[in-house]
Amino acid sequence: MLSKKTKYGLKALTFLAAQKGKAPVQIAEIAKQENISQKFLESILLSLRKTGFLGSKKGKGGGYYLIKEPHEVLMTDVMRVLEGPISMVPCVSLNFYEKCDDCPDESTCAVNKLMLKVRDSALEVYRNNTLADLI
């Protein structure tokens, strides 16, 4: 299930991407328009800023803005920052692989085989969508 952090992060990113120009938008405006708790949104936007998706400006006229063009923001990157590994089990993760403690042989594991298919189908969707596709 998608976490609220990821859901709200996607909503905030699409809100910012839909803005005309690159003028900074205050957290309060995003929170109000997208019906998100302002305090929770602050931590999400800070995370997106630290990972290079957003820039921020302090003071009057300040707020958050997209650093890249929406068509340059891949959903694989956004999902990994907000949600973590894309795979549902660590033994099929491309970036966070770990062998499962309870599995003697991945090559014969039915769960591994199914989760590879789930991971690959999710990656197909994320790789073929950008922030521009969401707006």
Side-chain angles (χ1 to χ4, degrees):
M1 186 179 306
L2 194 66
S3 69
K4 283 191 176 186
K5 176 183 177 182
T6 302
K7 181 179 178 182
Y8 294 164
L10 289 169
K11 288 175 77 170
L13 284 171
T14 54
F15 180 84
L16 290 170
Q19 300 304 301
K20 302 286 188 252
K22 295 236 181 197
V25 180
Q26 292 183 342
I27 292 174
E29 182 180 346
I30 301 168
K32 181 180 177 188
Q33 293 296 321
E34 296 298 328
N35 197 28
I36 303 170
S37 156
Q38 188 170 330
K39 190 166 182 84
F40 190 30
L41 183 58
E42 285 178 26
S43 69
I44 295 168
L45 296 179
L46 183 62
S47 174
L48 290 168
R49 185 181 64 77
K50 286 180 178 178
T51 53
F53 291 101
L54 300 177
S56 64
K57 181 181 172 189
K58 294 183 180 183
K60 186 175 180 174
Y64 284 89
Y65 56 91
L66 285 176
I67 292 177
K68 299 177 181 178
E69 293 298 320
H71 70 273
E72 298 173 323
V73 179
L74 300 174
M75 286 299 104
T76 47
D77 298 333
V78 172
M79 295 303 290
R80 284 185 175 123
V81 164
L82 294 172
E83 193 70 20
I86 290 171
S87 62
M88 297 176 77
V89 291
C91 65
V92 300
S93 179
L94 295 175
N95 296 338
F96 304 96
Y97 173 84
E98 287 182 29
K99 184 173 177 8
C100 294
D101 296 335
D102 59 347
C103 185
D105 184 10
E106 287 176 11
S107 66
T108 60
C109 178
V111 174
N112 180 280
K113 289 177 184 177
L114 177 63
M115 291 300 106
L116 277 170
K117 291 177 183 179
V118 170
R119 181 208 63 200
D120 290 347
S121 64
L123 277 173
E124 179 73 17
V125 171
Y126 297 145
R127 283 181 178 147
N128 290 305
N129 283 277
T130 66
L131 189 53
D133 296 315
L134 302 182
I135 54 174

